[in-house]
Short mmCIF file of all heavy atoms in Angstrom, two decimals:
data_model
loop_
_atom_site.label_atom_id
_atom_site.label_comp_id
_atom_site.label_asym_id
_atom_site.label_seq_id
_atom_site.Cartn_x
_atom_site.Cartn_y
_atom_site.Cartn_z
N SER F 4 4.11 19.95 17.26
CA SER F 4 3.99 18.53 16.89
C SER F 4 2.54 18.11 17.09
O SER F 4 1.80 18.69 17.88
CB SER F 4 4.93 17.68 17.72
OG SER F 4 4.62 17.88 19.08
N SER F 5 2.17 17.09 16.35
CA SER F 5 0.77 16.68 16.35
C SER F 5 0.68 15.19 16.67
O SER F 5 1.60 14.43 16.40
CB SER F 5 0.21 16.96 14.94
OG SER F 5 -1.15 16.68 14.88
N GLU F 6 -0.42 14.80 17.27
CA GLU F 6 -0.67 13.37 17.47
C GLU F 6 -1.27 12.83 16.17
O GLU F 6 -2.36 13.24 15.78
CB GLU F 6 -1.66 13.17 18.62
CG GLU F 6 -1.05 13.33 19.99
CD GLU F 6 0.00 12.26 20.29
OE1 GLU F 6 -0.29 11.07 20.07
OE2 GLU F 6 1.11 12.61 20.73
N TYR F 7 -0.55 11.94 15.51
CA TYR F 7 -1.05 11.40 14.24
C TYR F 7 -1.86 10.14 14.51
O TYR F 7 -1.37 9.22 15.16
CB TYR F 7 0.12 11.12 13.30
CG TYR F 7 0.83 12.38 12.86
CD1 TYR F 7 2.07 12.73 13.41
CD2 TYR F 7 0.27 13.23 11.92
CE1 TYR F 7 2.72 13.89 13.03
CE2 TYR F 7 0.91 14.39 11.53
CZ TYR F 7 2.13 14.73 12.08
OH TYR F 7 2.75 15.88 11.69
N GLN F 8 -3.08 10.11 13.99
CA GLN F 8 -3.91 8.93 14.27
C GLN F 8 -3.69 7.82 13.26
O GLN F 8 -4.12 6.70 13.46
CB GLN F 8 -5.39 9.32 14.33
CG GLN F 8 -5.96 9.91 13.06
CD GLN F 8 -7.22 10.71 13.34
OE1 GLN F 8 -7.14 11.83 13.81
NE2 GLN F 8 -8.38 10.12 13.08
N SER F 9 -3.02 8.14 12.15
CA SER F 9 -2.76 7.09 11.17
C SER F 9 -1.30 7.17 10.73
O SER F 9 -0.83 8.25 10.34
CB SER F 9 -3.68 7.28 9.96
OG SER F 9 -3.42 6.31 8.98
N ASN F 10 -0.59 6.07 10.84
CA ASN F 10 0.82 6.01 10.42
C ASN F 10 1.03 4.78 9.56
O ASN F 10 0.70 3.67 9.97
CB ASN F 10 1.75 5.91 11.64
CG ASN F 10 1.67 7.14 12.53
OD1 ASN F 10 2.24 8.17 12.24
ND2 ASN F 10 0.91 7.03 13.62
N PHE F 11 1.56 4.99 8.35
CA PHE F 11 1.80 3.84 7.47
C PHE F 11 2.95 4.16 6.53
O PHE F 11 3.39 5.31 6.44
CB PHE F 11 0.53 3.47 6.68
CG PHE F 11 0.01 4.57 5.79
CD1 PHE F 11 0.41 4.67 4.46
CD2 PHE F 11 -0.88 5.51 6.28
CE1 PHE F 11 -0.07 5.67 3.64
CE2 PHE F 11 -1.38 6.53 5.45
CZ PHE F 11 -0.96 6.61 4.13
N LYS F 12 3.43 3.12 5.84
CA LYS F 12 4.51 3.31 4.85
C LYS F 12 3.94 3.03 3.47
O LYS F 12 3.15 2.09 3.30
CB LYS F 12 5.67 2.38 5.14
CG LYS F 12 6.47 2.81 6.35
CD LYS F 12 7.85 2.21 6.34
CE LYS F 12 8.74 3.02 7.28
NZ LYS F 12 10.04 2.47 7.45
N ALA F 13 4.36 3.82 2.50
CA ALA F 13 3.89 3.62 1.12
C ALA F 13 5.07 3.79 0.17
O ALA F 13 5.93 4.66 0.39
CB ALA F 13 2.79 4.63 0.78
N PRO F 14 5.16 2.97 -0.88
CA PRO F 14 6.26 3.12 -1.83
C PRO F 14 6.22 4.49 -2.51
O PRO F 14 5.14 5.00 -2.83
CB PRO F 14 6.00 2.01 -2.86
CG PRO F 14 5.03 1.07 -2.21
CD PRO F 14 4.25 1.88 -1.24
N ALA F 15 7.39 5.08 -2.72
CA ALA F 15 7.47 6.40 -3.36
C ALA F 15 6.78 6.40 -4.72
O ALA F 15 6.07 7.35 -5.07
CB ALA F 15 8.93 6.82 -3.51
N ALA F 16 6.97 5.32 -5.49
CA ALA F 16 6.39 5.26 -6.84
C ALA F 16 4.86 5.31 -6.78
O ALA F 16 4.22 5.92 -7.65
CB ALA F 16 6.85 3.98 -7.55
N MET F 17 4.29 4.70 -5.76
CA MET F 17 2.83 4.69 -5.63
C MET F 17 2.30 6.08 -5.30
O MET F 17 1.34 6.57 -5.91
CB MET F 17 2.43 3.71 -4.53
CG MET F 17 0.95 3.62 -4.27
SD MET F 17 0.66 2.36 -3.01
CE MET F 17 -0.03 3.34 -1.73
N LEU F 18 2.95 6.75 -4.36
CA LEU F 18 2.51 8.10 -3.99
C LEU F 18 2.72 9.07 -5.16
O LEU F 18 1.91 9.96 -5.41
CB LEU F 18 3.29 8.60 -2.77
CG LEU F 18 2.94 7.93 -1.43
CD1 LEU F 18 3.88 8.42 -0.35
CD2 LEU F 18 1.49 8.21 -1.03
N ARG F 19 3.81 8.85 -5.89
CA ARG F 19 4.09 9.72 -7.05
C ARG F 19 2.97 9.61 -8.08
O ARG F 19 2.49 10.61 -8.60
CB ARG F 19 5.43 9.33 -7.67
CG ARG F 19 5.90 10.30 -8.75
CD ARG F 19 7.31 9.99 -9.17
NE ARG F 19 7.42 8.73 -9.87
CZ ARG F 19 8.33 7.80 -9.60
NH1 ARG F 19 9.20 7.98 -8.63
NH2 ARG F 19 8.38 6.68 -10.29
N ARG F 20 2.54 8.37 -8.34
CA ARG F 20 1.46 8.16 -9.31
C ARG F 20 0.16 8.81 -8.82
O ARG F 20 -0.54 9.50 -9.57
CB ARG F 20 1.25 6.66 -9.53
CG ARG F 20 0.08 6.32 -10.45
CD ARG F 20 -0.05 4.82 -10.66
NE ARG F 20 -1.24 4.52 -11.45
CZ ARG F 20 -2.45 4.32 -10.95
NH1 ARG F 20 -2.62 4.41 -9.62
NH2 ARG F 20 -3.48 4.07 -11.72
N LEU F 21 -0.17 8.61 -7.55
CA LEU F 21 -1.41 9.16 -7.00
C LEU F 21 -1.47 10.68 -7.13
O LEU F 21 -2.49 11.24 -7.55
CB LEU F 21 -1.56 8.78 -5.52
CG LEU F 21 -2.00 7.35 -5.20
CD1 LEU F 21 -1.86 7.08 -3.70
CD2 LEU F 21 -3.43 7.09 -5.65
N PHE F 22 -0.37 11.34 -6.78
CA PHE F 22 -0.39 12.80 -6.79
C PHE F 22 -0.12 13.39 -8.18
O PHE F 22 -0.73 14.38 -8.56
CB PHE F 22 0.61 13.36 -5.75
CG PHE F 22 0.11 13.23 -4.34
CD1 PHE F 22 0.55 12.22 -3.51
CD2 PHE F 22 -0.85 14.12 -3.84
CE1 PHE F 22 0.07 12.09 -2.21
CE2 PHE F 22 -1.33 14.00 -2.55
CZ PHE F 22 -0.88 12.98 -1.72
N ASP F 23 0.80 12.77 -8.93
CA ASP F 23 1.11 13.29 -10.27
C ASP F 23 -0.10 13.26 -11.19
O ASP F 23 -0.32 14.16 -11.98
CB ASP F 23 2.24 12.48 -10.93
CG ASP F 23 3.61 13.00 -10.52
OD1 ASP F 23 3.65 13.92 -9.68
OD2 ASP F 23 4.62 12.49 -11.04
N LYS F 24 -0.88 12.19 -11.09
CA LYS F 24 -2.01 12.02 -12.01
C LYS F 24 -3.24 12.82 -11.59
O LYS F 24 -4.18 12.97 -12.35
CB LYS F 24 -2.38 10.54 -12.13
CG LYS F 24 -1.42 9.75 -12.99
CD LYS F 24 -1.86 8.30 -13.06
CE LYS F 24 -1.07 7.54 -14.09
NZ LYS F 24 -1.33 7.97 -15.45
N SER F 25 -3.25 13.31 -10.36
CA SER F 25 -4.43 14.05 -9.91
C SER F 25 -4.20 15.55 -9.82
O SER F 25 -5.14 16.33 -9.94
CB SER F 25 -4.90 13.52 -8.56
OG SER F 25 -3.86 13.57 -7.60
N LYS F 26 -2.94 15.98 -9.68
CA LYS F 26 -2.70 17.39 -9.33
C LYS F 26 -3.12 18.38 -10.42
O LYS F 26 -3.42 19.53 -10.13
CB LYS F 26 -1.24 17.60 -8.93
CG LYS F 26 -0.23 17.42 -10.04
CD LYS F 26 1.18 17.58 -9.52
CE LYS F 26 2.19 17.37 -10.64
NZ LYS F 26 3.55 17.31 -10.12
N PHE F 27 -3.15 17.94 -11.69
CA PHE F 27 -3.51 18.88 -12.77
C PHE F 27 -4.93 19.43 -12.60
O PHE F 27 -5.26 20.49 -13.11
CB PHE F 27 -3.36 18.22 -14.15
CG PHE F 27 -4.47 17.26 -14.49
CD1 PHE F 27 -5.59 17.70 -15.18
CD2 PHE F 27 -4.40 15.92 -14.11
CE1 PHE F 27 -6.62 16.82 -15.48
CE2 PHE F 27 -5.43 15.04 -14.41
CZ PHE F 27 -6.55 15.50 -15.10
N ALA F 28 -5.79 18.68 -11.88
CA ALA F 28 -7.20 19.09 -11.75
C ALA F 28 -7.45 19.94 -10.50
O ALA F 28 -8.59 20.32 -10.23
CB ALA F 28 -8.10 17.86 -11.74
N ILE F 29 -6.39 20.25 -9.73
CA ILE F 29 -6.57 21.09 -8.54
C ILE F 29 -7.08 22.47 -8.96
O ILE F 29 -6.55 23.07 -9.90
CB ILE F 29 -5.24 21.24 -7.76
CG1 ILE F 29 -4.77 19.89 -7.21
CG2 ILE F 29 -5.37 22.25 -6.62
CD1 ILE F 29 -3.41 19.93 -6.54
N SER F 30 -8.06 22.98 -8.24
CA SER F 30 -8.62 24.30 -8.56
C SER F 30 -7.67 25.41 -8.09
O SER F 30 -7.01 25.27 -7.06
CB SER F 30 -9.97 24.47 -7.87
OG SER F 30 -10.44 25.78 -8.03
N THR F 31 -7.64 26.50 -8.85
CA THR F 31 -6.83 27.66 -8.45
C THR F 31 -7.73 28.80 -7.95
O THR F 31 -7.26 29.88 -7.67
CB THR F 31 -5.97 28.17 -9.62
OG1 THR F 31 -6.84 28.39 -10.74
CG2 THR F 31 -4.90 27.18 -10.00
N GLU F 32 -9.02 28.52 -7.86
CA GLU F 32 -9.99 29.53 -7.43
C GLU F 32 -9.96 29.63 -5.91
O GLU F 32 -10.34 28.67 -5.22
CB GLU F 32 -11.39 29.07 -7.88
CG GLU F 32 -12.27 30.17 -8.39
CD GLU F 32 -13.61 29.60 -8.85
OE1 GLU F 32 -13.64 28.88 -9.86
OE2 GLU F 32 -14.60 29.87 -8.16
N GLU F 33 -9.53 30.77 -5.40
CA GLU F 33 -9.35 30.89 -3.95
C GLU F 33 -10.68 30.86 -3.19
O GLU F 33 -10.73 30.49 -2.02
CB GLU F 33 -8.59 32.18 -3.60
CG GLU F 33 -7.16 32.22 -4.13
CD GLU F 33 -6.29 31.04 -3.68
OE1 GLU F 33 -6.49 30.55 -2.55
OE2 GLU F 33 -5.42 30.60 -4.46
N THR F 34 -11.78 31.24 -3.86
CA THR F 34 -13.07 31.28 -3.15
C THR F 34 -13.53 29.87 -2.79
O THR F 34 -14.18 29.67 -1.78
CB THR F 34 -14.15 31.96 -4.01
OG1 THR F 34 -14.13 31.38 -5.31
CG2 THR F 34 -13.91 33.45 -4.11
N ARG F 35 -13.20 28.90 -3.65
CA ARG F 35 -13.56 27.50 -3.32
C ARG F 35 -12.30 26.83 -2.78
O ARG F 35 -11.75 25.91 -3.38
CB ARG F 35 -14.09 26.81 -4.57
CG ARG F 35 -15.35 27.50 -5.10
CD ARG F 35 -15.65 27.07 -6.52
NE ARG F 35 -16.34 25.79 -6.55
CZ ARG F 35 -16.54 25.09 -7.67
NH1 ARG F 35 -16.11 25.57 -8.83
NH2 ARG F 35 -17.18 23.94 -7.65
N TYR F 36 -11.86 27.34 -1.63
CA TYR F 36 -10.56 26.93 -1.07
C TYR F 36 -10.47 25.42 -0.83
O TYR F 36 -9.41 24.84 -0.86
CB TYR F 36 -10.30 27.70 0.24
CG TYR F 36 -11.30 27.36 1.33
CD1 TYR F 36 -11.04 26.35 2.25
CD2 TYR F 36 -12.52 28.02 1.42
CE1 TYR F 36 -11.95 26.01 3.22
CE2 TYR F 36 -13.45 27.69 2.38
CZ TYR F 36 -13.16 26.68 3.28
OH TYR F 36 -14.07 26.32 4.24
N TYR F 37 -11.63 24.77 -0.57
CA TYR F 37 -11.63 23.33 -0.29
C TYR F 37 -11.30 22.51 -1.54
O TYR F 37 -11.11 21.30 -1.45
CB TYR F 37 -12.98 22.90 0.30
CG TYR F 37 -14.17 23.40 -0.49
CD1 TYR F 37 -14.63 22.71 -1.61
CD2 TYR F 37 -14.80 24.60 -0.14
CE1 TYR F 37 -15.69 23.18 -2.36
CE2 TYR F 37 -15.88 25.08 -0.89
CZ TYR F 37 -16.31 24.37 -2.00
OH TYR F 37 -17.35 24.85 -2.75
N LEU F 38 -11.23 23.16 -2.71
CA LEU F 38 -10.82 22.45 -3.93
C LEU F 38 -9.36 22.74 -4.29
O LEU F 38 -8.86 22.30 -5.32
CB LEU F 38 -11.71 22.85 -5.12
CG LEU F 38 -13.20 22.50 -5.03
CD1 LEU F 38 -13.92 22.92 -6.29
CD2 LEU F 38 -13.40 21.00 -4.78
N ASN F 39 -8.67 23.52 -3.41
CA ASN F 39 -7.28 23.91 -3.71
C ASN F 39 -6.26 22.87 -3.28
O ASN F 39 -5.15 23.20 -2.84
CB ASN F 39 -6.94 25.26 -3.03
CG ASN F 39 -7.72 26.43 -3.58
OD1 ASN F 39 -7.77 27.47 -2.96
ND2 ASN F 39 -8.34 26.27 -4.74
N GLY F 40 -6.62 21.60 -3.38
CA GLY F 40 -5.69 20.55 -2.99
C GLY F 40 -6.18 19.19 -3.48
O GLY F 40 -7.16 19.09 -4.22
N VAL F 41 -5.45 18.16 -3.09
CA VAL F 41 -5.80 16.78 -3.46
C VAL F 41 -6.41 16.09 -2.25
O VAL F 41 -5.80 16.09 -1.16
CB VAL F 41 -4.54 16.01 -3.94
CG1 VAL F 41 -4.84 14.53 -4.13
CG2 VAL F 41 -4.01 16.60 -5.25
N TYR F 42 -7.59 15.54 -2.42
CA TYR F 42 -8.29 14.86 -1.34
C TYR F 42 -7.79 13.42 -1.24
O TYR F 42 -8.02 12.61 -2.13
CB TYR F 42 -9.80 14.90 -1.62
CG TYR F 42 -10.68 14.24 -0.59
CD1 TYR F 42 -10.44 14.38 0.78
CD2 TYR F 42 -11.79 13.48 -0.98
CE1 TYR F 42 -11.26 13.78 1.73
CE2 TYR F 42 -12.62 12.88 -0.04
CZ TYR F 42 -12.36 13.04 1.30
OH TYR F 42 -13.17 12.44 2.24
N MET F 43 -7.05 13.12 -0.16
CA MET F 43 -6.48 11.78 0.04
C MET F 43 -7.32 11.07 1.10
O MET F 43 -7.49 11.58 2.21
CB MET F 43 -5.02 11.88 0.48
CG MET F 43 -4.35 10.55 0.70
SD MET F 43 -2.56 10.68 1.02
CE MET F 43 -2.53 11.29 2.70
N HIS F 44 -7.84 9.88 0.76
CA HIS F 44 -8.73 9.19 1.70
C HIS F 44 -8.80 7.70 1.35
O HIS F 44 -8.27 7.26 0.33
CB HIS F 44 -10.13 9.81 1.66
CG HIS F 44 -10.78 9.75 0.31
ND1 HIS F 44 -10.27 10.40 -0.80
CD2 HIS F 44 -11.90 9.11 -0.13
CE1 HIS F 44 -11.05 10.17 -1.85
NE2 HIS F 44 -12.04 9.39 -1.47
N VAL F 45 -9.45 6.95 2.21
CA VAL F 45 -9.67 5.53 1.96
C VAL F 45 -11.05 5.39 1.32
O VAL F 45 -12.03 5.99 1.78
CB VAL F 45 -9.62 4.72 3.28
CG1 VAL F 45 -9.92 3.25 3.02
CG2 VAL F 45 -8.24 4.87 3.93
N ALA F 46 -11.13 4.62 0.23
CA ALA F 46 -12.41 4.49 -0.49
C ALA F 46 -12.66 3.04 -0.86
O ALA F 46 -11.74 2.22 -0.90
CB ALA F 46 -12.37 5.35 -1.74
#
């Protein structure tokens, strides 16, 4: 188990839009492993 420093609730539809619309651009190149996911942050 981990100590989570941020806890919040988000509507499923909102998270679905965020990830569905971004996931197609995820890199499959293992050498640039830091691009093998979706960067979620506050901007």
Side-chain angles (χ1 to χ4, degrees):
S4 58
S5 184
E6 283 295 312
Y7 294 104
Q8 61 201 78
S9 178
N10 296 281
F11 60 92
K12 287 200 161 174
M17 179 177 117
L18 289 174
R19 188 171 68 228
R20 176 178 175 272
L21 283 170
F22 285 101
D23 274 5
K24 284 180 171 293
S25 56
K26 67 183 179 189
F27 76 92
I29 295 175
S30 173
T31 53
E32 220 178 292
E33 296 304 327
T34 50
R35 299 164 81 190
Y36 65 92
Y37 49 84
L38 297 182
N39 294 164
V41 171
Y42 180 41
M43 181 173 74
H44 60 297
V45 177

